[in-house]
Amino acid sequence: MVHAAKSMLAQVARPEAAWITRLEAPSPSEGAGAGALAGLRFAVKDNIDVAGVPTSAACPAFARTAPAHAHVVQRLVNAGAQVAGKTNLDQFACGLNGTRSPYGAVPNAFDARYVSGGSSSGSAYVVATGEVDFALGTDTAGSGRVPAGLNNIVGLKPSKGLISTHGVVPAAQSVDCVSIFARDVQTAVRVLQAAVGFDAQDPYSRKLALDERPFAPGFRFGVPTQLAFFGDQMAEAAFDEAIERMASLGGVRVPIDYAPLAEAASLLYDSALVAERYAAVREFFDAHEDEVIEPVRGILAAGRGYTAADYALAQTQLRALAQQAAPMWDGIDLLLLPTAPTHYTVQAMQADPVVLNRNLGAYTNFVNLLDYAALSVPSSLRPDGLPFGVTLVGPCASDLRLAQLGQRFHHATGLPQGATGLPLPQPEPIVPAAAAEVAQVVRVAVVGAHLSGMPLNGQLVERGARLIEATRTAAEYRLFALPGTVPPKPGLVRVPQGEGAAIELEVWEMPMAHYGSFVALIGAPLGIGTLVLESGATVQGFVCEALATQGATDITHLGGWRRYVQERTAS
């Protein structure tokens, strides 16, 4: 049985199998929210932690209640989004079809006889049917793309390390990504920009400078010379149509040799690399193997049979294939691929779960192994009413470039949003969150009297500023209560490494035209400088002259100005 907490969502026709846990609606005051994602609700794949809710990875014996949000969930909540609940998946994120769960198979949003795609099946379904605004999935071999392609929605598979996987049950940790499902590209990008942030708790997290250049007319898109649709003529015709649409947007088709990409993809399951899937849950699996369903059990068990030398050899083979594939990018700007080559019924998939599952990943498995970015967008509805999607693949850090082109492609289709029947919203420019000059805004961090609800917050609001996120500084600052300031204000001072702590703050975005008048209001000993956030990013923010802290009360241990004000008021 699916855990059935009281739904915060409208009661619409849907299979309970899509959900693991649904959360109660917050009260209007609790749900007001502020930030870049204010007003949006999202679902979380049940291998990603949500505080106070069990994380089962679709294995009841594995379930444990998460003590805190996963890093990515916390960032989205900080940006104003509300968690709607946890969604079903192929057990331990091992599968691309959505039928490998003890909670039931998640059907396709357009025809319940067909698979939804996996492993992020429930997340894709609740986005496609309009129950949430976006959802988090994970993607190791295509789990953030195949369900998008089969359900007429967008699946954004970011560059590895761009979004932290801390608080995510690993599938194959070195290639895992948190993915984003939405009904349009612009929403997916908003979520990406809120989710991005370096996290030292994730051993594979990294800081990437995203390429923001739009594709110029005459851009070259690679199409494999060897394409397989497994006898599905409607899918083949739909891909031909997609190629013509990409050409109509100014692209030039370039044939590419798919062989090295296909060979790299085969290593994920047919080499010692599968040992990483076993390693991810080894302690649980060795003690509770009988609690794991087939064929997941057989896949994980296969990882036991490889030696460290086997794994090292497989990694070397992968690097050799990466070198072989690299020259491809000299002749193209991106790849255009079918997201999934065909649709399968639930009945057919359950009768032949390994081969048909592998077929669904024919154009996805290589992407993370070779460190590429990818975006799946809807392309058409076939004559049988089932969706067909395509994936744009680019080099690492090309995420925003793919989004710009993917949005143009998606809107050129004239398709509705998912399975809702609603038209796509008007497209918005895809701009980097940090490119303040492009958007003519500036971001400023506040730590004291300008925080939400504090006496000077109106100085921000009256200048049209909006709250982007609540976060903390890097652990290299000290905070002081400055004597004699009206209203009371703190002073933030950067100190040598090891002598400071992380201090709570808010990041606000203000129109550049009003920034000068805001800064003019700031009097000594305060000023504006560059602050380092816990994510590693930098932002303009309030700083204090060190001399002014002599004799001031050090309140660093409280972690922020709000706590100090609360304790002072209580006393």
Side-chain angles (χ1 to χ4, degrees):
M1 289 293 292
V2 175
H3 308 305
K6 181 180 177 183
S7 177
M8 68 179 290
L9 304 168
Q11 293 301 312
V12 297
R14 64 174 180 267
E16 288 295 301
W19 291 94
I20 297 288
T21 305
R22 298 195 301 275
L23 304 180
E24 293 187 5
S27 67
S29 61
E30 291 173 333
L37 302 181
L40 299 185
R41 295 181 300 175
F42 70 106
V44 180
K45 185 176 180 179
D46 193 37
N47 61 341
I48 304 173
D49 285 348
V50 170
V53 178
T55 299
S56 75
C59 181
F62 178 80
R64 82 290 187 278
T65 299
H69 289 324
H71 185 272
V72 60
V73 174
Q74 187 62 62
R75 288 190 67 87
L76 299 179
V77 170
N78 289 349
Q82 299 173 9
V83 181
K86 305 290 291 291
T87 54
N88 201 357
L89 67 151
D90 283 330
Q91 192 173 74
F92 291 116
C94 191
L96 287 172
N97 61 81
T99 70
R100 298 175 174 178
S101 172
Y103 299 116
V106 179
N108 189 282
F110 284 75
D111 188 331
R113 295 173 299 172
Y114 288 84
V115 301
S116 58
S119 61
S120 310
S121 51
S123 289
Y125 184 92
V126 297
V127 169
T129 54
E131 298 181 56
V132 293
D133 298 296
F134 68 93
L136 295 182
T138 59
D139 189 305
T140 303
S143 299
R145 291 162 278 156
V146 170
L150 297 185
N151 288 280
N152 194 46
I153 60 174
V154 172
L156 193 160
K157 199 295 298 178
S159 296
K160 288 192 302 182
L162 200 56
I163 298 177
S164 170
T165 59
H166 179 69
V168 178
V169 178
Q173 194 169 5
S174 68
V175 290
D176 287 345
C177 295
V178 173
S179 63
I180 299 162
F181 294 106
R183 288 183 295 279
D184 58 81
V185 175
Q186 61 206 39
T187 299
V189 172
R190 286 174 62 194
V191 176
L192 174 69
Q193 292 174 333
V196 167
F198 177 76
D199 177 17
Q201 297 179 96
D202 173 6
Y204 293 98
S205 183
R206 55 182 173 171
K207 302 173 185 178
L208 292 172
L210 297 185
D211 188 345
E212 60 198 56
R213 299 167 300 156
F215 290 108
F219 66 87
R220 299 157 300 172
F221 63 96
V223 176
T225 54
Q226 313 96 333
L227 280 166
F229 294 92
F230 305 99
D232 191 333
Q233 294 181 349
M234 282 186 285
E236 186 171 2
F239 189 58
D240 288 341
E241 179 185 336
I243 293 171
E244 293 177 4
R245 180 174 297 113
M246 190 63 79
S248 73
L249 297 178
V252 176
R253 176 181 179 174
V254 177
I256 62 107
D257 180 11
Y258 192 65
L261 306 182
E263 191 172 346
S266 69
L267 293 177
L268 190 63
Y269 288 106
D270 298 334
S271 78
L273 294 187
V274 76
E276 192 170 2
R277 286 194 177 265
Y278 165 63
V281 291
R282 178 175 60 178
E283 183 177 349
F284 171 81
F285 187 70
D286 286 348
H288 305 282
E289 183 173 345
D290 290 344
E291 300 287 349
V292 180
I293 63 174
E294 288 289 5
V296 177
R297 183 194 312 156
I299 294 169
L300 296 179
R304 287 179 174 141
Y306 292 100
T307 67
D310 294 330
Y311 185 78
L313 178 60
Q315 285 286 357
T316 301
Q317 291 174 324
L318 179 60
R319 293 310 310 151
L321 289 166
Q323 298 282 35
Q324 187 178 340
M328 170 183 70
W329 297 109
D330 296 333
I332 62 172
D333 298 294
L334 74 153
L335 283 167
L336 180 70
L337 301 170
T339 298
T342 187
H343 283 265
Y344 290 117
T345 65
V346 173
Q347 183 179 12
M349 181 62 67
Q350 291 175 333
D352 192 2
V354 175
V355 172
L356 300 193
N357 183 85
R358 182 184 292 116
N359 292 350
L360 288 180
Y363 302 109
T364 60
N365 284 0
F366 71 92
V367 174
N368 288 355
L369 291 173
L370 297 180
D371 199 14
Y372 299 155
L375 176 73
S376 176
V377 292
S379 183
S380 61
L381 291 178
R382 304 164 10 145
D384 60 0
L386 293 172
F388 180 80
V390 294
T391 296
L392 286 57
V393 179
C396 178
S398 64
D399 307 71
L400 293 180
R401 301 192 80 194
L402 298 178
Q404 292 164 357
L405 181 58
Q407 183 181 59
R408 291 174 59 203
F409 183 97
H410 189 196
H411 279 265
T413 66
L415 289 169
Q417 297 185 49
T420 66
L422 298 172
L424 289 172
Q426 287 298 310
E428 297 177 359
I430 303 295
V431 297
E437 309 93 310
V438 175
Q440 293 300 304
V441 294
V442 62
R443 292 190 170 192
V444 59
V446 299
V447 296
H450 288 88
L451 293 166
S452 301
M454 294 293 176
L456 298 183
N457 183 252
Q459 294 180 355
L460 292 167
V461 175
E462 67 191 11
R463 287 167 173 78
R466 65 189 184 102
L467 179 62
I468 299 300
E469 67 171 335
T471 184
R472 300 190 303 172
T473 67
E476 48 195 64
Y477 290 88
R478 300 201 72 81
L479 191 68
F480 298 86
L482 300 176
T485 52
V486 180
K489 301 181 185 70
L492 184 71
V493 179
R494 192 171 184 180
V495 295
Q497 191 170 9
E499 298 180 13
I503 304 299
E504 293 177 351
L505 55 76
E506 292 177 351
V507 178
W508 288 70
E509 189 175 76
M510 180 185 297
M512 186 71 77
H514 301 311
Y515 187 55
S517 67
F518 175 71
V519 173
L521 297 173
I522 303 169
L526 301 179
I528 294 291
T530 300
L531 301 184
V532 181
L533 304 182
E534 64 178 352
S535 66
T538 58
V539 66
Q540 297 290 294
F542 278 82
V543 294
C544 181
E545 298 172 5
L547 185 63
T549 64
Q550 294 183 8
T553 303
D554 189 333
I555 59 172
T556 305
H557 63 285
L558 297 176
W561 184 245
R562 286 191 191 280
R563 176 82 178 275
Y564 171 74
V565 171
Q566 290 168 355
E567 292 197 358
R568 188 180 180 201
T569 302
S571 62

